[in-house]
Amino acid sequence: IIRLDDVERTYRMGSETIYALRALSLTIDPNEFVAIMGPSGSGKSTLMNVIGCLDTPSSGRYWLNGRLVSEMNDRQLAAARNREIGFVFQSFNLLARLTALANVEVPLIYAGVPRRERHERARHALDTVGLADRMLHRPTEMSGGQRQRVAIARALVTRPSILLADEPTGNLDSSTTEEIMNLFDDLHAAGHTLIMVTHEQEIAAHAARVLRMNDGEIVADEQMEPR
Amino acid sequence: IIRLDDVERTYRMGSETIYALRALSLTIDPNEFVAIMGPSGSGKSTLMNVIGCLDTPSSGRYWLNGRLVSEMNDRQLAAARNREIGFVFQSFNLLARLTALANVEVPLIYAGVPRRERHERARHALDTVGLADRMLHRPTEMSGGQRQRVAIARALVTRPSILLADEPTGNLDSSTTEEIMNLFDDLHAAGHTLIMVTHEQEIAAHAARVLRMNDGEIVADEQMEPR
Ligand SMILES: Nc1ncnc2c1ncn2[C@@H]1O[C@H](COP(=O)(O)OP(=O)(O)OP(=O)(O)O)[C@@H](O)[C@H]1O
Ligand SMILES: Nc1ncnc2c1ncn2[C@@H]1O[C@H](COP(=O)(O)OP(=O)(O)OP(=O)(O)O)[C@@H](O)[C@H]1O
Ligand SMILES: [Mg+2]
Ligand SMILES: [Mg+2]
């Protein structure tokens, strides 16, 4: 479902070149549950952004569902980002002027879901992450962990075939974390593909496969006994 | 050094009242190392903002170093925020248009430190959190964990007598986390007071005292064997 071949992502800063990703190759099959770990700055979020069609590699090729992403037109790219992929961002990226409910409705608007159904699905998604009583709050009227959960609800509301989650439980206490991981396990059991960046071993243990990154490269690729 | 007496913090949302803090009382002595834990939304960041003189209680009294904060004038409040207290925010609050170096210099500008010394101390602070090679990057040109470390360096650069850290290692891998906790332990050993929100038991274990919050109240206050 996902295939990267010799993908590089560099940034030019004056005379310096930063190699966020270096000649990285990777294949992920449908219904895999993959955890990505590695030191701060090793390229995990950059890799997630490339997979999520939000960033373009400087070189190399990326096939999503058999189609070469660099050759997709705007309509196909939009469909990939809005319907096939759900993304929980490391810094949430919520719209500050919208309520939690409106934020979660946004992907459903892109998907052309009618208003009544959109409302109902967004309410339900917020309820499953424990935010039924915060639906009309704006991001500044919520705690850090509540914002993180709105970002999770937004990513889940379209039931995307691929869920990308970048440090999804970093601001959550252990019991809330467990609830979120149960949601992810259910999604995986229902046939979806999950790719999750985490720095916590206990979270990575939910995945059947762990990729370890260092300095822009994948340095280990381990098959695990899933819990 | 810190005393809260019956402190409340409420928010009015239409007909609803949200009790972020409820009649909370607390005393913290100099050179204590206190961890605050509790579920998402239980009031931890709100408590930190009150202690850090960034938010005013709806009722109750707060003494900082023996002075009643509600009766401080603007000059005294500014001095408290900029020189006595260092704050690592849960969402970092970096200035997007400034480099990492310039961000870390900001508290030193408020403290009236001359330019050459300011530059040197900011460089050193970034070096101690492992960001020597990211000094001229802006926040959008850094990873999540790098931004978090800039926020930490900024809070430490004035050597504040009180360090408030709200989930300071949420975006960091285990070995970077260990480096940061060593910095905090050193600060504590040097006589400073540390108050740290965390959801990770291993991080809380560095503290000698753990406060547990739930629904706006302190529900447990345990003295620990510090490591
Ligand atoms: N401006 C606001 N208006 C209304 N409610 C608010 C506002 N700011 C915070 N709250 C509410 O106050 C409560 C406490 O928030 P706080 O940020 O202190 O929680 P927290 O313990 O830090 O949570 P987390 O672990 O998720 O960061 C939350 O339920 C939040 O929704
Ligand atoms: N716009 C940019 N310009 C220059 N360098 C950048 C830019 N964006 C990211 N980088 C660098 O690319 C590297 C990889 O960043 P990335 O965000 O992928 O790391 P990460 O593994 O997600 O880290 P973390 O665990 O801290 O979130 C980092 O060293 C970062 O400083
Ligand atoms: Mg990242
Ligand atoms: Mg908080």
Side-chain angles (χ1 to χ4, degrees):
Chain A
I1 195 168
I2 283 167
R3 183 176 154 211
L4 280 77
D5 187 32
D6 254 7
V7 161
E8 281 213 343
R9 179 64 171 107
T10 54
Y11 295 99
R12 287 276 159 61
M13 303 255 320
S15 59
E16 203 194 345
T17 299
I18 289 167
Y19 294 87
L21 298 177
R22 307 171 188 265
L24 185 147
S25 297
L26 170 63
T27 302
I28 295 175
D29 294 327
N31 200 213
E32 281 204 63
F33 192 160
V34 183
I36 301 175
M37 304 185 80
S40 177
S42 55
K44 305 179 297 297
S45 296
T46 306
L47 175 58
M48 294 286 270
N49 288 334
V50 168
I51 291 172
C53 302
L54 297 169
D55 192 16
T56 308
S58 317
S59 71
R61 291 172 299 171
Y62 168 34
W63 290 265
L64 173 66
N65 287 318
R67 288 162 311 173
L68 201 55
V69 174
S70 49
E71 296 186 356
M72 285 185 186
N73 61 39
D74 284 351
R75 191 188 52 75
Q76 290 172 311
L77 270 173
R81 283 183 208 128
N82 298 327
R83 295 182 210 176
E84 299 181 42
I85 296 168
F87 209 132
V88 186
F89 296 96
Q90 187 170 8
S91 52
F92 317 158
N93 297 357
L94 300 178
L95 298 171
R97 276 177 267 162
L98 300 186
T99 62
L101 187 68
N103 264 286
V104 175
E105 286 185 276
V106 168
L108 300 174
I109 294 172
Y110 281 126
V113 175
R115 191 163 152 278
R116 181 183 291 254
E117 181 188 346
R118 207 171 72 206
H119 224 66
E120 191 43 46
R121 283 171 65 175
R123 286 192 342 96
H124 177 71
L126 283 165
D127 191 44
T128 49
V129 297
L131 291 177
D133 59 356
R134 289 289 182 271
M135 290 195 190
L136 302 181
H137 286 232
R138 287 173 179 73
T140 48
E141 296 165 337
M142 288 190 267
S143 76
Q146 289 167 347
R147 286 177 212 150
Q148 187 156 39
R149 283 182 278 159
V150 176
I152 292 167
R154 182 182 61 182
L156 291 175
V157 75
T158 50
R159 305 291 295 168
S161 52
I162 301 166
L163 179 73
L164 304 178
D166 197 345
E167 311 246 11
T169 61
N171 282 282
L172 302 176
D173 56 283
S174 43
S175 87
T176 313
T177 294
E178 201 168 327
E179 287 165 33
I180 295 305
M181 291 314 299
N182 286 337
L183 284 179
F184 287 4
D185 288 339
D186 290 347
L187 197 70
H188 180 231
H192 302 249
T193 306
L194 274 73
I195 307 170
M196 185 176 64
V197 173
T198 181
H199 60 261
E200 293 183 60
Q201 200 58 47
E202 298 205 356
I203 309 290
H206 286 257
R209 180 181 177 194
V210 179
L211 304 174
R212 288 183 190 278
M213 292 191 68
N214 199 357
D215 200 22
E217 298 180 296
I218 294 173
V219 298
D221 187 343
E222 306 157 4
Q223 295 291 332
M224 316 267 290
E225 276 316 305
R227 274 200 205 160
Chain B
I1 197 171
I2 283 166
R3 182 175 155 212
L4 279 78
D5 186 33
D6 254 8
V7 161
E8 283 214 339
R9 179 62 171 107
T10 54
Y11 296 98
R12 287 276 160 60
M13 303 254 323
S15 61
E16 204 193 344
T17 299
I18 290 168
Y19 294 88
L21 298 177
R22 304 173 190 265
L24 186 148
S25 298
L26 171 64
T27 303
I28 295 176
D29 294 328
N31 199 213
E32 281 205 65
F33 192 159
V34 183
I36 302 176
M37 304 185 80
S40 175
S42 54
K44 307 179 295 296
S45 296
T46 306
L47 175 58
M48 294 286 270
N49 288 334
V50 169
I51 291 173
C53 302
L54 298 169
D55 193 16
T56 310
S58 318
S59 71
R61 293 172 299 171
Y62 168 35
W63 290 265
L64 172 67
N65 286 320
R67 289 162 312 175
L68 200 54
V69 174
S70 49
E71 296 188 355
M72 285 184 187
N73 60 41
D74 284 351
R75 192 189 49 77
Q76 290 171 312
L77 270 173
R81 283 182 209 128
N82 299 327
R83 297 181 208 175
E84 299 181 43
I85 296 169
F87 208 132
V88 186
F89 296 97
Q90 187 171 8
S91 51
F92 318 156
N93 297 358
L94 300 178
L95 298 172
R97 275 177 267 163
L98 300 186
T99 61
L101 188 68
N103 264 287
V104 176
E105 286 185 275
V106 168
L108 298 175
I109 293 171
Y110 280 126
V113 174
R115 192 162 150 278
R116 181 183 290 254
E117 182 189 343
R118 207 171 71 207
H119 223 68
E120 190 42 44
R121 283 171 65 176
R123 288 192 341 95
H124 177 72
L126 283 166
D127 191 46
T128 50
V129 296
L131 291 178
D133 59 356
R134 290 287 181 272
M135 290 195 191
L136 302 182
H137 286 231
R138 288 172 178 73
T140 47
E141 296 164 337
M142 289 189 267
S143 77
Q146 288 166 349
R147 284 176 212 151
Q148 186 155 41
R149 282 181 279 159
V150 176
I152 291 167
R154 182 182 62 183
L156 291 174
V157 75
T158 51
R159 307 290 294 169
S161 51
I162 301 167
L163 179 72
L164 304 179
D166 196 345
E167 310 246 13
T169 61
N171 283 283
L172 302 176
D173 55 283
S174 42
S175 84
T176 313
T177 293
E178 201 167 327
E179 287 165 34
I180 295 303
M181 291 314 300
N182 286 338
L183 283 181
F184 287 3
D185 288 339
D186 290 348
L187 197 70
H188 180 232
H192 302 249
T193 305
L194 274 73
I195 306 170
M196 186 178 63
V197 173
T198 181
H199 60 262
E200 292 183 60
Q201 201 60 46
E202 298 205 357
I203 309 290
H206 285 257
R209 181 181 175 195
V210 178
L211 304 175
R212 291 185 186 278
M213 291 189 69
N214 198 359
D215 202 20
E217 298 180 297
I218 295 173
V219 297
D221 187 343
E222 307 156 3
Q223 293 295 332
M224 317 269 289
E225 277 316 303
R227 271 199 208 161

Short mmCIF file of all heavy atoms in Angstrom, two decimals, chain B residues 10-44:
data_model
loop_
_atom_site.label_atom_id
_atom_site.label_comp_id
_atom_site.label_asym_id
_atom_site.label_seq_id
_atom_site.Cartn_x
_atom_site.Cartn_y
_atom_site.Cartn_z
N THR B 10 -12.32 29.68 37.67
CA THR B 10 -13.49 29.24 36.91
C THR B 10 -13.52 29.95 35.56
O THR B 10 -12.95 31.03 35.38
CB THR B 10 -14.78 29.55 37.67
OG1 THR B 10 -14.79 30.95 37.99
CG2 THR B 10 -14.88 28.75 38.95
N TYR B 11 -14.21 29.33 34.61
CA TYR B 11 -14.48 29.93 33.30
C TYR B 11 -15.98 29.91 33.08
O TYR B 11 -16.62 28.88 33.33
CB TYR B 11 -13.82 29.14 32.17
CG TYR B 11 -12.32 29.13 32.21
CD1 TYR B 11 -11.62 28.05 32.76
CD2 TYR B 11 -11.58 30.18 31.68
CE1 TYR B 11 -10.24 28.03 32.78
CE2 TYR B 11 -10.19 30.16 31.70
CZ TYR B 11 -9.54 29.08 32.25
OH TYR B 11 -8.16 29.05 32.26
N ARG B 12 -16.54 31.03 32.60
CA ARG B 12 -17.95 31.05 32.23
C ARG B 12 -18.07 30.78 30.73
O ARG B 12 -17.45 31.44 29.92
CB ARG B 12 -18.55 32.44 32.51
CG ARG B 12 -18.74 32.73 33.96
CD ARG B 12 -20.07 32.15 34.48
NE ARG B 12 -20.00 32.02 35.93
CZ ARG B 12 -19.81 33.06 36.75
NH1 ARG B 12 -19.70 34.29 36.27
NH2 ARG B 12 -19.74 32.85 38.05
N MET B 13 -18.85 29.75 30.40
CA MET B 13 -19.11 29.48 28.98
C MET B 13 -20.61 29.47 28.81
O MET B 13 -21.26 28.47 29.12
CB MET B 13 -18.54 28.13 28.55
CG MET B 13 -17.07 27.96 28.80
SD MET B 13 -16.04 28.05 27.33
CE MET B 13 -16.90 27.27 26.03
N GLY B 14 -21.18 30.59 28.40
CA GLY B 14 -22.64 30.66 28.29
C GLY B 14 -23.26 30.44 29.66
O GLY B 14 -22.92 31.13 30.62
N SER B 15 -24.14 29.47 29.78
CA SER B 15 -24.81 29.22 31.06
C SER B 15 -24.00 28.28 31.94
O SER B 15 -24.35 28.01 33.08
CB SER B 15 -26.18 28.59 30.79
OG SER B 15 -25.98 27.36 30.09
N GLU B 16 -22.89 27.79 31.40
CA GLU B 16 -22.11 26.76 32.10
C GLU B 16 -20.93 27.41 32.83
O GLU B 16 -20.35 28.38 32.35
CB GLU B 16 -21.57 25.79 31.05
CG GLU B 16 -21.26 24.40 31.55
CD GLU B 16 -20.45 23.61 30.51
OE1 GLU B 16 -20.43 24.04 29.34
OE2 GLU B 16 -19.83 22.61 30.89
N THR B 17 -20.57 26.87 33.99
CA THR B 17 -19.35 27.29 34.68
C THR B 17 -18.40 26.11 34.76
O THR B 17 -18.78 25.02 35.19
CB THR B 17 -19.66 27.79 36.11
OG1 THR B 17 -20.55 28.90 36.02
CG2 THR B 17 -18.38 28.22 36.81
N ILE B 18 -17.16 26.34 34.31
CA ILE B 18 -16.15 25.28 34.37
C ILE B 18 -15.20 25.58 35.51
O ILE B 18 -14.65 26.67 35.60
CB ILE B 18 -15.41 25.18 33.03
CG1 ILE B 18 -16.37 24.61 31.99
CG2 ILE B 18 -14.16 24.31 33.15
CD1 ILE B 18 -15.91 24.71 30.58
N TYR B 19 -15.04 24.60 36.40
CA TYR B 19 -14.15 24.78 37.56
C TYR B 19 -12.79 24.18 37.26
O TYR B 19 -12.55 23.00 37.51
CB TYR B 19 -14.78 24.12 38.79
CG TYR B 19 -16.06 24.79 39.22
CD1 TYR B 19 -17.29 24.40 38.68
CD2 TYR B 19 -16.05 25.84 40.14
CE1 TYR B 19 -18.47 25.05 39.05
CE2 TYR B 19 -17.22 26.47 40.53
CZ TYR B 19 -18.43 26.07 39.96
OH TYR B 19 -19.60 26.71 40.32
N ALA B 20 -11.89 24.98 36.70
CA ALA B 20 -10.56 24.47 36.37
C ALA B 20 -9.78 24.18 37.66
O ALA B 20 -9.05 23.20 37.75
CB ALA B 20 -9.81 25.44 35.48
N LEU B 21 -9.92 25.06 38.67
CA LEU B 21 -9.33 24.82 40.00
C LEU B 21 -10.42 25.08 41.04
O LEU B 21 -11.14 26.08 40.95
CB LEU B 21 -8.15 25.76 40.27
CG LEU B 21 -6.92 25.67 39.37
CD1 LEU B 21 -5.91 26.74 39.76
CD2 LEU B 21 -6.28 24.28 39.44
N ARG B 22 -10.51 24.18 42.04
CA ARG B 22 -11.56 24.32 43.06
C ARG B 22 -10.96 24.42 44.45
O ARG B 22 -10.41 23.44 44.95
CB ARG B 22 -12.43 23.04 43.10
CG ARG B 22 -13.08 22.63 41.85
CD ARG B 22 -13.74 21.25 42.04
NE ARG B 22 -14.20 20.70 40.78
CZ ARG B 22 -15.46 20.83 40.33
NH1 ARG B 22 -16.37 21.47 41.06
NH2 ARG B 22 -15.80 20.31 39.17
N ALA B 23 -11.06 25.57 45.09
CA ALA B 23 -10.66 25.75 46.49
C ALA B 23 -9.40 24.97 46.82
O ALA B 23 -9.35 24.15 47.72
CB ALA B 23 -11.80 25.32 47.41
N LEU B 24 -8.34 25.28 46.07
CA LEU B 24 -7.10 24.52 46.17
C LEU B 24 -6.12 25.23 47.10
O LEU B 24 -5.88 26.41 46.96
CB LEU B 24 -6.54 24.40 44.74
CG LEU B 24 -5.32 23.54 44.47
CD1 LEU B 24 -5.43 22.95 43.07
CD2 LEU B 24 -4.05 24.36 44.58
N SER B 25 -5.58 24.48 48.04
CA SER B 25 -4.56 25.03 48.95
C SER B 25 -3.29 24.21 48.87
O SER B 25 -3.35 22.98 48.71
CB SER B 25 -5.08 25.04 50.39
OG SER B 25 -6.22 25.88 50.48
N LEU B 26 -2.15 24.88 48.95
CA LEU B 26 -0.87 24.22 48.68
C LEU B 26 0.27 25.06 49.22
O LEU B 26 0.26 26.28 49.10
CB LEU B 26 -0.72 24.08 47.15
CG LEU B 26 0.61 23.61 46.56
CD1 LEU B 26 0.91 22.18 47.00
CD2 LEU B 26 0.55 23.70 45.04
N THR B 27 1.26 24.42 49.82
CA THR B 27 2.48 25.10 50.24
C THR B 27 3.68 24.36 49.67
O THR B 27 3.75 23.13 49.76
CB THR B 27 2.59 25.14 51.78
OG1 THR B 27 1.43 25.77 52.31
CG2 THR B 27 3.82 25.91 52.22
N ILE B 28 4.60 25.12 49.07
CA ILE B 28 5.83 24.53 48.55
C ILE B 28 7.01 25.30 49.14
O ILE B 28 7.06 26.53 49.05
CB ILE B 28 5.87 24.57 47.01
CG1 ILE B 28 4.75 23.67 46.44
CG2 ILE B 28 7.23 24.10 46.48
CD1 ILE B 28 4.61 23.69 44.94
N ASP B 29 7.94 24.57 49.75
CA ASP B 29 9.11 25.20 50.38
C ASP B 29 10.25 25.38 49.39
O ASP B 29 10.28 24.72 48.34
CB ASP B 29 9.60 24.32 51.54
CG ASP B 29 8.58 24.27 52.66
OD1 ASP B 29 7.87 25.29 52.87
OD2 ASP B 29 8.48 23.22 53.32
N PRO B 30 11.23 26.25 49.72
CA PRO B 30 12.38 26.42 48.83
C PRO B 30 13.13 25.10 48.62
O PRO B 30 13.20 24.26 49.53
CB PRO B 30 13.27 27.42 49.58
CG PRO B 30 12.34 28.15 50.47
CD PRO B 30 11.26 27.19 50.85
N ASN B 31 13.65 24.93 47.42
CA ASN B 31 14.47 23.76 47.06
C ASN B 31 13.70 22.45 47.07
O ASN B 31 14.27 21.38 47.12
CB ASN B 31 15.72 23.65 47.96
CG ASN B 31 16.79 22.77 47.34
OD1 ASN B 31 17.54 22.08 48.02
ND2 ASN B 31 16.86 22.77 46.01
N GLU B 32 12.38 22.51 47.03
CA GLU B 32 11.62 21.27 46.83
C GLU B 32 11.65 20.89 45.35
O GLU B 32 11.83 21.73 44.47
CB GLU B 32 10.15 21.45 47.26
CG GLU B 32 9.92 21.39 48.74
CD GLU B 32 8.49 20.96 49.05
OE1 GLU B 32 8.11 19.82 48.72
OE2 GLU B 32 7.75 21.80 49.62
N PHE B 33 11.45 19.61 45.07
CA PHE B 33 11.29 19.12 43.70
C PHE B 33 9.95 18.40 43.69
O PHE B 33 9.81 17.31 44.25
CB PHE B 33 12.44 18.17 43.33
CG PHE B 33 12.52 17.81 41.86
CD1 PHE B 33 13.72 17.35 41.33
CD2 PHE B 33 11.44 17.94 41.00
CE1 PHE B 33 13.83 17.02 39.97
CE2 PHE B 33 11.54 17.61 39.65
CZ PHE B 33 12.75 17.14 39.14
N VAL B 34 8.95 19.04 43.10
CA VAL B 34 7.56 18.55 43.16
C VAL B 34 7.10 18.12 41.77
O VAL B 34 7.27 18.86 40.80
CB VAL B 34 6.61 19.65 43.68
CG1 VAL B 34 5.19 19.12 43.81
CG2 VAL B 34 7.11 20.21 45.01
N ALA B 35 6.51 16.94 41.66
CA ALA B 35 5.89 16.50 40.41
C ALA B 35 4.38 16.61 40.56
O ALA B 35 3.83 16.34 41.63
CB ALA B 35 6.29 15.07 40.08
N ILE B 36 3.70 17.04 39.49
CA ILE B 36 2.24 17.12 39.48
C ILE B 36 1.72 16.16 38.41
O ILE B 36 2.12 16.25 37.24
CB ILE B 36 1.75 18.55 39.17
CG1 ILE B 36 2.31 19.54 40.20
CG2 ILE B 36 0.23 18.61 39.16
CD1 ILE B 36 1.97 21.00 39.90
N MET B 37 0.87 15.26 38.82
CA MET B 37 0.31 14.29 37.87
C MET B 37 -1.22 14.35 37.93
O MET B 37 -1.79 14.90 38.86
CB MET B 37 0.78 12.88 38.21
CG MET B 37 2.29 12.73 38.26
SD MET B 37 2.83 11.01 38.52
CE MET B 37 2.67 10.35 36.84
N GLY B 38 -1.87 13.76 36.92
CA GLY B 38 -3.32 13.70 36.93
C GLY B 38 -3.87 13.60 35.52
O GLY B 38 -3.14 13.82 34.55
N PRO B 39 -5.15 13.25 35.38
CA PRO B 39 -5.74 13.05 34.07
C PRO B 39 -5.75 14.32 33.21
O PRO B 39 -5.65 15.44 33.74
CB PRO B 39 -7.19 12.64 34.38
CG PRO B 39 -7.21 12.26 35.80
CD PRO B 39 -6.10 13.01 36.46
N SER B 40 -5.86 14.13 31.92
CA SER B 40 -6.01 15.25 31.00
C SER B 40 -7.22 16.09 31.42
O SER B 40 -8.29 15.56 31.69
CB SER B 40 -6.21 14.69 29.59
OG SER B 40 -6.48 15.72 28.69
N GLY B 41 -7.03 17.41 31.52
CA GLY B 41 -8.12 18.31 31.87
C GLY B 41 -8.34 18.49 33.37
O GLY B 41 -9.28 19.17 33.78
N SER B 42 -7.46 17.94 34.20
CA SER B 42 -7.68 18.01 35.66
C SER B 42 -7.21 19.31 36.28
O SER B 42 -7.41 19.51 37.48
CB SER B 42 -6.99 16.83 36.35
OG SER B 42 -5.62 16.77 36.01
N GLY B 43 -6.57 20.21 35.53
CA GLY B 43 -6.22 21.52 36.07
C GLY B 43 -4.72 21.74 36.29
O GLY B 43 -4.33 22.76 36.86
N LYS B 44 -3.89 20.84 35.81
CA LYS B 44 -2.44 20.95 36.07
C LYS B 44 -1.85 22.22 35.45
O LYS B 44 -1.13 22.97 36.11
CB LYS B 44 -1.71 19.71 35.53
CG LYS B 44 -2.31 18.38 36.03
CD LYS B 44 -1.58 17.17 35.48
CE LYS B 44 -1.70 16.98 33.99
NZ LYS B 44 -3.09 16.72 33.56
#
